[in-house]
Amino acid sequence: MIDLKYLQKNFDEASAKLVKKGVDEATLENLKELFATLKSANATLEEAKAEQNRMSKLFGEYMREKKDVTELKAQVDAKKEEIVGLQAVAREAQEALEHVALAMPNFPDDSVPMGADEEDNIELKKVLEPRKFDFEPKEHWALAEVNGWIEFERGVKLAKSRFAVLRGEAARMERALINFFLDVNREKGFEEVCVPFINNGAMLQGTGQLPKFEDDLFKIDDEDLYLIPTAEVPLTNLYNDEILTQKELPILLTGYTPCFRKEAGSAGRDTRGMIRQHQFDKVEMVAITTPEQSEEIFKMMVENASDILTQLGLPHRVVELCGGDLGFSAATTIDLEVWLPGQDKYREISSISNTRDFQARRAKIRYKDGKKNVLVNTLNGSALAVGRTLVAIMENYQNEDGTIEIPEVLKKYM
RNA sequence: GGAGAAUUGGGUGAGUGGCUGAAACCACAUCCCUGCUAAGGAUGCGUAUGGGUAACUGUACCGAGAGUUCGAAUCUCUCAUUCUCCA
C-alpha cells in the first residue's frame, strides 16, 4: 500500500509518479478525498466516544458517592445512540478507502524509465554470446518429443491445459536445478527455508496479490486459502505483523516451491511448450532490509541470478523494466532474459524487484530503529524459474540429432 | 470424532466488572558507577491511528468476531489455535 499521508501532503508529486504506472489523476484524487473523509469521520466518532467514556467514569463516581444516576444514564444512552450512527459512517468511509487504496499500485522509483509496455524496457547489458548453430536449432517441445522428456498430453489429461509431465532425465534435471540453485543461493548468504505451498488470504494481501489479482489465483473451495503463485508470498510474510530488531537485518531467504497461476488474461500466449504453465517450480530469493540496505542488496540479487545463468552457460540479457511494465508491488524491477535459440528470442527467466515499503506497509513488517518502528524494505527475485531454465538448457545445449548435453555444473547433481 | 484446559505487551507471567493499557521479572535503550573476560545502580520502554512545533493528548487494541452493561482483559455466545485425556 502506498503512503496515504504522503499522498495527501504531496499530491502533485505523487500523482506524477503514479502516471508512470498508468494510474490516472482522477483515481488518485478520489483516493485523496476518501482519505480526508475517513479522517473527519473518525475525528467526530472519536470525540463522541471520548465523551461517553468520560460519562461512564463519572457514573462510577456517582455510584460510590450514592448520587442519583438517572439523568446521567439518559445522557449516556443518547450518546450511545449517536455513536452507533457515527460508527456506521466511519466504517463505510473505511471500507471505501480500503477498496481503492489496496488496488493502488506502488510508486515507481524516480530512476524508472517512462514507457508503456515491454517494448520500452531498457537493455542494460548482454552476458555470454549466443552459440552459433551449424544446423537449425529446434524449439524445446520438438526436443522434448525426440528425447521423451516432456509429456504435454498426459499433463492435460491429469489436470487440464497448461500442465505437463516431466519424465526420466528431464525430471531428474528439474530436481538437479532446484538443488543447484538452492546451493548457490545458500553460498551467497541466503538461508534456505521450506514453507507451506498454501497461504491464507491475509498473506496474499500482504504481498499485494489480493484483492486485485484474485482471478489469477487458485483458491481452495470454502476456505480462506490459496495455492501460492510464488514463494515470495510465504517467504516475505514469514514476518507478517512482526517488529524485527535492526540487528536481524538484512534477512536473506531462499526457498524452493511450486508456483500456481491461473494465467488469467494470457489466453493464447505461449500455448505451446513449457514456458507458461499453471504449475511450475521456482527457487526464490527474498530479502527483508532497512531502507538504507535495500539498494545494495537489490544489486546483489541481480548479480546472483545472472551468475547462476552464467555458471550454466546460458546467454542472457539484463533488462530494466519501464513504468508501464512494472508489476503492481514493484518500485523497480530488473528482468533477466535467457536466450532461446529455438524461439530465436530472449525470454524472461528471472524478475528481481524492490518493493521498498509497499509490501511492508500492507504486511506490517517493521523494525525498531532506536525508539521508532520503521517499515522494512522487501525485495524478491527468482533464482531461478526452474522450468524455463530446463527449456533454456534444452534449446541451448541441443545437438543436431536432437540429443541434449548436460551443463557441466549440473553433472554432479544428476 | 468426543471431553476438558488454555490463548494477556519482544519473552516469562499476574490480573474475575470502574482506581488496569495492564503488576512483577527478563530482554532492550540511555545514563551512572566500576576498569576488565563480570557485577551493581538510575531512568525509559506495547501497537496502530488522529490532533499538537513540542510538552502532551483523543481513540482503538489483552487469540478473532459478536453480545450483555452506564462501564469488560475480566460475564455470555460463535469461531480459530494450542495442550491434556478418551475413541
mmCIF file of all heavy atoms in Angstrom, chain B residues 52-67:
data_model
loop_
_atom_site.group_PDB
_atom_site.id
_atom_site.type_symbol
_atom_site.label_atom_id
_atom_site.label_comp_id
_atom_site.label_asym_id
_atom_site.label_seq_id
_atom_site.Cartn_x
_atom_site.Cartn_y
_atom_site.Cartn_z
ATOM 1 P P G B 52 -2.927 19.610 13.854
ATOM 2 O OP1 G B 52 -3.301 20.893 13.250
ATOM 3 O OP2 G B 52 -2.201 18.595 13.065
ATOM 4 O "O5'" G B 52 -2.093 19.892 15.183
ATOM 5 C "C5'" G B 52 -2.391 21.020 15.991
ATOM 6 C "C4'" G B 52 -1.453 21.053 17.170
ATOM 7 O "O4'" G B 52 -1.607 19.831 17.935
ATOM 8 C "C3'" G B 52 0.030 21.067 16.834
ATOM 9 O "O3'" G B 52 0.497 22.355 16.479
ATOM 10 C "C2'" G B 52 0.636 20.571 18.143
ATOM 11 O "O2'" G B 52 0.665 21.588 19.116
ATOM 12 C "C1'" G B 52 -0.376 19.494 18.535
ATOM 13 N N9 G B 52 0.075 18.197 18.012
ATOM 14 C C8 G B 52 -0.277 17.589 16.835
ATOM 15 N N7 G B 52 0.338 16.451 16.635
ATOM 16 C C5 G B 52 1.158 16.308 17.746
ATOM 17 C C6 G B 52 2.067 15.287 18.097
ATOM 18 O O6 G B 52 2.346 14.266 17.471
ATOM 19 N N1 G B 52 2.692 15.543 19.306
ATOM 20 C C2 G B 52 2.467 16.649 20.091
ATOM 21 N N2 G B 52 3.160 16.724 21.214
ATOM 22 N N3 G B 52 1.624 17.609 19.782
ATOM 23 C C4 G B 52 1.001 17.377 18.607
ATOM 24 P P U B 53 1.450 22.567 15.259
ATOM 25 O OP1 U B 53 1.801 23.980 15.234
ATOM 26 O OP2 U B 53 0.804 21.958 14.080
ATOM 27 O "O5'" U B 53 2.761 21.725 15.601
ATOM 28 C "C5'" U B 53 3.649 21.313 14.570
ATOM 29 C "C4'" U B 53 5.070 21.324 15.070
ATOM 30 O "O4'" U B 53 5.419 22.679 15.463
ATOM 31 C "C3'" U B 53 5.314 20.502 16.333
ATOM 32 O "O3'" U B 53 5.574 19.149 16.027
ATOM 33 C "C2'" U B 53 6.535 21.173 16.929
ATOM 34 O "O2'" U B 53 7.723 20.775 16.299
ATOM 35 C "C1'" U B 53 6.259 22.643 16.601
ATOM 36 N N1 U B 53 5.583 23.343 17.716
ATOM 37 C C2 U B 53 6.311 23.601 18.868
ATOM 38 O O2 U B 53 7.462 23.256 19.000
ATOM 39 N N3 U B 53 5.630 24.255 19.855
ATOM 40 C C4 U B 53 4.314 24.687 19.808
ATOM 41 O O4 U B 53 3.834 25.268 20.779
ATOM 42 C C5 U B 53 3.623 24.383 18.589
ATOM 43 C C6 U B 53 4.268 23.740 17.598
ATOM 44 P P A B 54 4.903 17.989 16.920
ATOM 45 O OP1 A B 54 5.400 16.701 16.411
ATOM 46 O OP2 A B 54 3.450 18.261 16.969
ATOM 47 O "O5'" A B 54 5.525 18.247 18.361
ATOM 48 C "C5'" A B 54 6.870 17.875 18.630
ATOM 49 C "C4'" A B 54 7.303 18.489 19.933
ATOM 50 O "O4'" A B 54 6.932 19.885 19.946
ATOM 51 C "C3'" A B 54 6.657 17.905 21.177
ATOM 52 O "O3'" A B 54 7.411 16.801 21.650
ATOM 53 C "C2'" A B 54 6.702 19.058 22.164
ATOM 54 O "O2'" A B 54 7.955 19.147 22.816
ATOM 55 C "C1'" A B 54 6.546 20.273 21.252
ATOM 56 N N9 A B 54 5.176 20.797 21.197
ATOM 57 C C8 A B 54 4.226 20.556 20.225
ATOM 58 N N7 A B 54 3.092 21.187 20.432
ATOM 59 C C5 A B 54 3.316 21.888 21.610
ATOM 60 C C6 A B 54 2.501 22.760 22.359
ATOM 61 N N6 A B 54 1.250 23.077 22.016
ATOM 62 N N1 A B 54 3.024 23.282 23.479
ATOM 63 C C2 A B 54 4.271 22.967 23.822
ATOM 64 N N3 A B 54 5.136 22.167 23.189
ATOM 65 C C4 A B 54 4.587 21.657 22.084
ATOM 66 P P A B 55 6.671 15.634 22.509
ATOM 67 O OP1 A B 55 7.690 14.586 22.736
ATOM 68 O OP2 A B 55 5.394 15.295 21.841
ATOM 69 O "O5'" A B 55 6.352 16.339 23.899
ATOM 70 C "C5'" A B 55 7.362 16.472 24.895
ATOM 71 C "C4'" A B 55 6.847 17.323 26.031
ATOM 72 O "O4'" A B 55 6.389 18.585 25.487
ATOM 73 C "C3'" A B 55 5.624 16.764 26.752
ATOM 74 O "O3'" A B 55 5.978 15.840 27.763
ATOM 75 C "C2'" A B 55 4.998 18.027 27.328
ATOM 76 O "O2'" A B 55 5.657 18.458 28.499
ATOM 77 C "C1'" A B 55 5.249 19.026 26.204
ATOM 78 N N9 A B 55 4.113 19.093 25.277
ATOM 79 C C8 A B 55 3.867 18.307 24.177
ATOM 80 N N7 A B 55 2.757 18.612 23.536
ATOM 81 C C5 A B 55 2.236 19.670 24.274
ATOM 82 C C6 A B 55 1.069 20.435 24.116
ATOM 83 N N6 A B 55 0.197 20.251 23.133
ATOM 84 N N1 A B 55 0.838 21.402 25.016
ATOM 85 C C2 A B 55 1.732 21.592 26.013
ATOM 86 N N3 A B 55 2.866 20.937 26.265
ATOM 87 C C4 A B 55 3.059 19.972 25.343
ATOM 88 P P C B 56 5.363 14.379 27.755
ATOM 89 O OP1 C B 56 5.672 13.713 29.047
ATOM 90 O OP2 C B 56 5.810 13.761 26.493
ATOM 91 O "O5'" C B 56 3.795 14.589 27.652
ATOM 92 C "C5'" C B 56 3.106 15.385 28.613
ATOM 93 C "C4'" C B 56 1.916 16.034 27.962
ATOM 94 O "O4'" C B 56 2.267 16.481 26.617
ATOM 95 C "C3'" C B 56 0.718 15.117 27.697
ATOM 96 O "O3'" C B 56 -0.063 14.902 28.861
ATOM 97 C "C2'" C B 56 -0.046 15.928 26.643
ATOM 98 O "O2'" C B 56 -0.742 17.019 27.223
ATOM 99 C "C1'" C B 56 1.112 16.464 25.797
ATOM 100 N N1 C B 56 1.363 15.602 24.616
ATOM 101 C C2 C B 56 0.496 15.713 23.519
ATOM 102 O O2 C B 56 -0.442 16.530 23.580
ATOM 103 N N3 C B 56 0.693 14.931 22.429
ATOM 104 C C4 C B 56 1.711 14.066 22.407
ATOM 105 N N4 C B 56 1.845 13.330 21.317
ATOM 106 C C5 C B 56 2.595 13.928 23.510
ATOM 107 C C6 C B 56 2.389 14.699 24.574
ATOM 108 P P U B 57 -0.873 13.555 29.024
ATOM 109 O OP1 U B 57 -1.542 13.597 30.337
ATOM 110 O OP2 U B 57 0.007 12.415 28.663
ATOM 111 O "O5'" U B 57 -1.980 13.694 27.891
ATOM 112 C "C5'" U B 57 -3.004 14.687 28.001
ATOM 113 C "C4'" U B 57 -3.790 14.742 26.718
ATOM 114 O "O4'" U B 57 -2.900 15.019 25.600
ATOM 115 C "C3'" U B 57 -4.474 13.447 26.292
ATOM 116 O "O3'" U B 57 -5.675 13.204 27.010
ATOM 117 C "C2'" U B 57 -4.733 13.730 24.809
ATOM 118 O "O2'" U B 57 -5.817 14.632 24.634
ATOM 119 C "C1'" U B 57 -3.428 14.431 24.417
ATOM 120 N N1 U B 57 -2.465 13.454 23.882
ATOM 121 C C2 U B 57 -2.613 13.111 22.539
ATOM 122 O O2 U B 57 -3.471 13.586 21.823
ATOM 123 N N3 U B 57 -1.710 12.180 22.089
ATOM 124 C C4 U B 57 -0.710 11.581 22.811
ATOM 125 O O4 U B 57 0.025 10.763 22.254
ATOM 126 C C5 U B 57 -0.629 11.990 24.181
ATOM 127 C C6 U B 57 -1.493 12.893 24.661
ATOM 128 P P G B 58 -6.272 11.743 27.057
ATOM 129 O OP1 G B 58 -7.239 11.692 28.166
ATOM 130 O OP2 G B 58 -5.162 10.766 26.982
ATOM 131 O "O5'" G B 58 -7.070 11.679 25.684
ATOM 132 C "C5'" G B 58 -8.247 12.455 25.514
ATOM 133 C "C4'" G B 58 -8.827 12.205 24.160
ATOM 134 O "O4'" G B 58 -7.864 12.560 23.135
ATOM 135 C "C3'" G B 58 -9.133 10.746 23.831
ATOM 136 O "O3'" G B 58 -10.337 10.308 24.429
ATOM 137 C "C2'" G B 58 -9.226 10.793 22.309
ATOM 138 O "O2'" G B 58 -10.430 11.401 21.897
ATOM 139 C "C1'" G B 58 -8.053 11.730 21.993
ATOM 140 N N9 G B 58 -6.830 10.954 21.744
ATOM 141 C C8 G B 58 -5.745 10.790 22.576
ATOM 142 N N7 G B 58 -4.814 10.026 22.047
ATOM 143 C C5 G B 58 -5.322 9.668 20.799
ATOM 144 C C6 G B 58 -4.771 8.857 19.774
ATOM 145 O O6 G B 58 -3.694 8.271 19.759
ATOM 146 N N1 G B 58 -5.630 8.753 18.690
ATOM 147 C C2 G B 58 -6.850 9.364 18.598
ATOM 148 N N2 G B 58 -7.542 9.146 17.474
ATOM 149 N N3 G B 58 -7.384 10.126 19.542
ATOM 150 C C4 G B 58 -6.565 10.239 20.607
ATOM 151 P P U B 59 -10.461 8.801 24.963
ATOM 152 O OP1 U B 59 -11.762 8.674 25.643
ATOM 153 O OP2 U B 59 -9.217 8.421 25.670
ATOM 154 O "O5'" U B 59 -10.502 8.005 23.594
ATOM 155 C "C5'" U B 59 -11.572 8.203 22.676
ATOM 156 C "C4'" U B 59 -11.325 7.407 21.429
ATOM 157 O "O4'" U B 59 -10.117 7.878 20.782
ATOM 158 C "C3'" U B 59 -11.044 5.923 21.662
ATOM 159 O "O3'" U B 59 -12.235 5.190 21.876
ATOM 160 C "C2'" U B 59 -10.331 5.551 20.365
ATOM 161 O "O2'" U B 59 -11.247 5.425 19.302
ATOM 162 C "C1'" U B 59 -9.468 6.794 20.137
ATOM 163 N N1 U B 59 -8.117 6.637 20.707
ATOM 164 C C2 U B 59 -7.189 5.944 19.941
ATOM 165 O O2 U B 59 -7.453 5.475 18.861
ATOM 166 N N3 U B 59 -5.955 5.819 20.501
ATOM 167 C C4 U B 59 -5.538 6.308 21.729
ATOM 168 O O4 U B 59 -4.381 6.121 22.100
ATOM 169 C C5 U B 59 -6.556 7.007 22.464
ATOM 170 C C6 U B 59 -7.782 7.142 21.936
ATOM 171 P P A B 60 -12.201 3.896 22.833
ATOM 172 O OP1 A B 60 -13.592 3.473 23.048
ATOM 173 O OP2 A B 60 -11.317 4.150 23.988
ATOM 174 O "O5'" A B 60 -11.479 2.842 21.889
ATOM 175 C "C5'" A B 60 -12.117 2.423 20.686
ATOM 176 C "C4'" A B 60 -11.173 1.578 19.873
ATOM 177 O "O4'" A B 60 -10.022 2.374 19.485
ATOM 178 C "C3'" A B 60 -10.550 0.402 20.611
ATOM 179 O "O3'" A B 60 -11.440 -0.696 20.682
ATOM 180 C "C2'" A B 60 -9.332 0.114 19.750
ATOM 181 O "O2'" A B 60 -9.697 -0.546 18.558
ATOM 182 C "C1'" A B 60 -8.876 1.539 19.403
ATOM 183 N N9 A B 60 -7.867 2.027 20.356
ATOM 184 C C8 A B 60 -8.021 2.804 21.463
ATOM 185 N N7 A B 60 -6.899 3.060 22.100
ATOM 186 C C5 A B 60 -5.935 2.393 21.347
ATOM 187 C C6 A B 60 -4.545 2.261 21.482
ATOM 188 N N6 A B 60 -3.850 2.819 22.472
ATOM 189 N N1 A B 60 -3.901 1.519 20.560
ATOM 190 C C2 A B 60 -4.599 0.949 19.579
ATOM 191 N N3 A B 60 -5.903 1.004 19.338
ATOM 192 C C4 A B 60 -6.524 1.748 20.276
ATOM 193 P P C B 61 -11.409 -1.623 22.000
ATOM 194 O OP1 C B 61 -12.574 -2.520 21.894
ATOM 195 O OP2 C B 61 -11.219 -0.772 23.187
ATOM 196 O "O5'" C B 61 -10.085 -2.478 21.787
ATOM 197 C "C5'" C B 61 -10.042 -3.463 20.750
ATOM 198 C "C4'" C B 61 -8.625 -3.895 20.523
ATOM 199 O "O4'" C B 61 -7.793 -2.739 20.272
ATOM 200 C "C3'" C B 61 -7.927 -4.557 21.701
ATOM 201 O "O3'" C B 61 -8.286 -5.918 21.806
ATOM 202 C "C2'" C B 61 -6.469 -4.408 21.316
ATOM 203 O "O2'" C B 61 -6.076 -5.325 20.342
ATOM 204 C "C1'" C B 61 -6.472 -2.998 20.715
ATOM 205 N N1 C B 61 -6.068 -1.998 21.710
ATOM 206 C C2 C B 61 -4.698 -1.797 21.897
ATOM 207 O O2 C B 61 -3.905 -2.452 21.212
ATOM 208 N N3 C B 61 -4.280 -0.914 22.814
ATOM 209 C C4 C B 61 -5.163 -0.237 23.544
ATOM 210 N N4 C B 61 -4.695 0.605 24.437
ATOM 211 C C5 C B 61 -6.574 -0.413 23.368
ATOM 212 C C6 C B 61 -6.978 -1.303 22.451
ATOM 213 P P C B 62 -8.591 -6.547 23.249
ATOM 214 O OP1 C B 62 -9.338 -7.809 23.079
ATOM 215 O OP2 C B 62 -9.141 -5.492 24.104
ATOM 216 O "O5'" C B 62 -7.112 -6.872 23.739
ATOM 217 C "C5'" C B 62 -6.329 -7.887 23.096
ATOM 218 C "C4'" C B 62 -5.593 -8.671 24.155
ATOM 219 O "O4'" C B 62 -5.178 -7.744 25.172
ATOM 220 C "C3'" C B 62 -6.459 -9.723 24.837
ATOM 221 O "O3'" C B 62 -5.911 -10.984 24.496
ATOM 222 C "C2'" C B 62 -6.382 -9.454 26.322
ATOM 223 O "O2'" C B 62 -5.862 -10.559 27.008
ATOM 224 C "C1'" C B 62 -5.352 -8.319 26.434
ATOM 225 N N1 C B 62 -5.700 -7.258 27.373
ATOM 226 C C2 C B 62 -5.419 -7.468 28.733
ATOM 227 O O2 C B 62 -4.931 -8.540 29.075
ATOM 228 N N3 C B 62 -5.684 -6.484 29.624
ATOM 229 C C4 C B 62 -6.202 -5.343 29.207
ATOM 230 N N4 C B 62 -6.429 -4.405 30.104
ATOM 231 C C5 C B 62 -6.513 -5.113 27.832
ATOM 232 C C6 C B 62 -6.241 -6.089 26.966
ATOM 233 P P G B 63 -6.731 -12.283 24.519
ATOM 234 O OP1 G B 63 -8.166 -12.165 24.799
ATOM 235 O OP2 G B 63 -5.863 -13.121 25.379
ATOM 236 O "O5'" G B 63 -6.547 -12.756 23.017
ATOM 237 C "C5'" G B 63 -5.280 -12.614 22.375
ATOM 238 C "C4'" G B 63 -5.377 -13.132 20.964
ATOM 239 O "O4'" G B 63 -5.480 -14.575 21.011
ATOM 240 C "C3'" G B 63 -6.622 -12.681 20.205
ATOM 241 O "O3'" G B 63 -6.423 -11.425 19.588
ATOM 242 C "C2'" G B 63 -6.786 -13.810 19.190
ATOM 243 O "O2'" G B 63 -5.874 -13.675 18.126
ATOM 244 C "C1'" G B 63 -6.401 -15.019 20.028
ATOM 245 N N9 G B 63 -7.547 -15.623 20.728
ATOM 246 C C8 G B 63 -7.710 -15.764 22.080
ATOM 247 N N7 G B 63 -8.837 -16.335 22.404
ATOM 248 C C5 G B 63 -9.454 -16.597 21.187
ATOM 249 C C6 G B 63 -10.699 -17.202 20.891
ATOM 250 O O6 G B 63 -11.532 -17.665 21.678
ATOM 251 N N1 G B 63 -10.937 -17.272 19.529
ATOM 252 C C2 G B 63 -10.101 -16.789 18.567
ATOM 253 N N2 G B 63 -10.510 -16.927 17.306
ATOM 254 N N3 G B 63 -8.932 -16.203 18.821
ATOM 255 C C4 G B 63 -8.674 -16.153 20.137
ATOM 256 P P A B 64 -7.667 -10.468 19.382
ATOM 257 O OP1 A B 64 -7.140 -9.192 18.847
ATOM 258 O OP2 A B 64 -8.504 -10.493 20.603
ATOM 259 O "O5'" A B 64 -8.473 -11.211 18.224
ATOM 260 C "C5'" A B 64 -8.050 -11.113 16.871
ATOM 261 C "C4'" A B 64 -9.142 -11.648 15.969
ATOM 262 O "O4'" A B 64 -9.383 -13.035 16.306
ATOM 263 C "C3'" A B 64 -10.503 -10.978 16.150
ATOM 264 O "O3'" A B 64 -10.605 -9.796 15.388
ATOM 265 C "C2'" A B 64 -11.447 -12.063 15.672
ATOM 266 O "O2'" A B 64 -11.492 -12.127 14.259
ATOM 267 C "C1'" A B 64 -10.765 -13.312 16.219
ATOM 268 N N9 A B 64 -11.263 -13.659 17.562
ATOM 269 C C8 A B 64 -10.654 -13.447 18.768
ATOM 270 N N7 A B 64 -11.356 -13.890 19.796
ATOM 271 C C5 A B 64 -12.496 -14.432 19.217
ATOM 272 C C6 A B 64 -13.620 -15.051 19.763
ATOM 273 N N6 A B 64 -13.804 -15.262 21.071
ATOM 274 N N1 A B 64 -14.586 -15.474 18.909
ATOM 275 C C2 A B 64 -14.413 -15.265 17.591
ATOM 276 N N3 A B 64 -13.381 -14.688 16.968
ATOM 277 C C4 A B 64 -12.447 -14.294 17.839
ATOM 278 P P G B 65 -11.573 -8.626 15.925
ATOM 279 O OP1 G B 65 -11.384 -7.510 14.983
ATOM 280 O OP2 G B 65 -11.358 -8.426 17.371
ATOM 281 O "O5'" G B 65 -13.029 -9.239 15.718
ATOM 282 C "C5'" G B 65 -13.549 -9.425 14.407
ATOM 283 C "C4'" G B 65 -14.852 -10.171 14.472
ATOM 284 O "O4'" G B 65 -14.652 -11.445 15.140
ATOM 285 C "C3'" G B 65 -15.954 -9.519 15.303
ATOM 286 O "O3'" G B 65 -16.605 -8.485 14.607
ATOM 287 C "C2'" G B 65 -16.864 -10.712 15.553
ATOM 288 O "O2'" G B 65 -17.623 -11.031 14.413
ATOM 289 C "C1'" G B 65 -15.846 -11.821 15.810
ATOM 290 N N9 G B 65 -15.570 -11.954 17.251
ATOM 291 C C8 G B 65 -14.510 -11.467 17.966
ATOM 292 N N7 G B 65 -14.583 -11.757 19.240
ATOM 293 C C5 G B 65 -15.766 -12.472 19.365
ATOM 294 C C6 G B 65 -16.382 -13.048 20.503
ATOM 295 O O6 G B 65 -15.992 -13.049 21.678
ATOM 296 N N1 G B 65 -17.582 -13.674 20.178
ATOM 297 C C2 G B 65 -18.113 -13.736 18.919
ATOM 298 N N2 G B 65 -19.273 -14.376 18.802
ATOM 299 N N3 G B 65 -17.552 -13.210 17.846
ATOM 300 C C4 G B 65 -16.394 -12.598 18.144
ATOM 301 P P A B 66 -17.349 -7.353 15.478
ATOM 302 O OP1 A B 66 -17.911 -6.412 14.480
ATOM 303 O OP2 A B 66 -16.420 -6.850 16.516
ATOM 304 O "O5'" A B 66 -18.526 -8.141 16.205
ATOM 305 C "C5'" A B 66 -19.796 -8.252 15.577
ATOM 306 C "C4'" A B 66 -20.672 -9.191 16.356
ATOM 307 O "O4'" A B 66 -19.884 -10.282 16.888
ATOM 308 C "C3'" A B 66 -21.347 -8.614 17.595
ATOM 309 O "O3'" A B 66 -22.455 -7.792 17.302
ATOM 310 C "C2'" A B 66 -21.746 -9.902 18.301
ATOM 311 O "O2'" A B 66 -22.857 -10.518 17.690
ATOM 312 C "C1'" A B 66 -20.490 -10.756 18.083
ATOM 313 N N9 A B 66 -19.562 -10.581 19.207
ATOM 314 C C8 A B 66 -18.388 -9.887 19.259
ATOM 315 N N7 A B 66 -17.806 -9.920 20.440
ATOM 316 C C5 A B 66 -18.660 -10.673 21.215
ATOM 317 C C6 A B 66 -18.624 -11.085 22.563
ATOM 318 N N6 A B 66 -17.643 -10.770 23.402
ATOM 319 N N1 A B 66 -19.638 -11.844 23.031
ATOM 320 C C2 A B 66 -20.640 -12.160 22.193
ATOM 321 N N3 A B 66 -20.783 -11.833 20.896
ATOM 322 C C4 A B 66 -19.749 -11.090 20.475
ATOM 323 P P G B 67 -22.753 -6.575 18.305
ATOM 324 O OP1 G B 67 -23.884 -5.832 17.724
ATOM 325 O OP2 G B 67 -21.484 -5.891 18.600
ATOM 326 O "O5'" G B 67 -23.236 -7.294 19.652
ATOM 327 C "C5'" G B 67 -24.472 -7.962 19.694
ATOM 328 C "C4'" G B 67 -24.596 -8.749 20.963
ATOM 329 O "O4'" G B 67 -23.382 -9.486 21.229
ATOM 330 C "C3'" G B 67 -24.788 -7.950 22.251
ATOM 331 O "O3'" G B 67 -26.093 -7.445 22.382
ATOM 332 C "C2'" G B 67 -24.492 -9.037 23.288
ATOM 333 O "O2'" G B 67 -25.556 -9.938 23.427
ATOM 334 C "C1'" G B 67 -23.305 -9.747 22.626
ATOM 335 N N9 G B 67 -22.021 -9.264 23.156
ATOM 336 C C8 G B 67 -21.070 -8.512 22.514
ATOM 337 N N7 G B 67 -20.035 -8.253 23.279
ATOM 338 C C5 G B 67 -20.327 -8.866 24.489
ATOM 339 C C6 G B 67 -19.578 -8.935 25.698
ATOM 340 O O6 G B 67 -18.482 -8.455 25.949
ATOM 341 N N1 G B 67 -20.258 -9.660 26.679
ATOM 342 C C2 G B 67 -21.486 -10.239 26.517
ATOM 343 N N2 G B 67 -21.980 -10.896 27.562
ATOM 344 N N3 G B 67 -22.194 -10.193 25.381
ATOM 345 C C4 G B 67 -21.552 -9.500 24.421
#
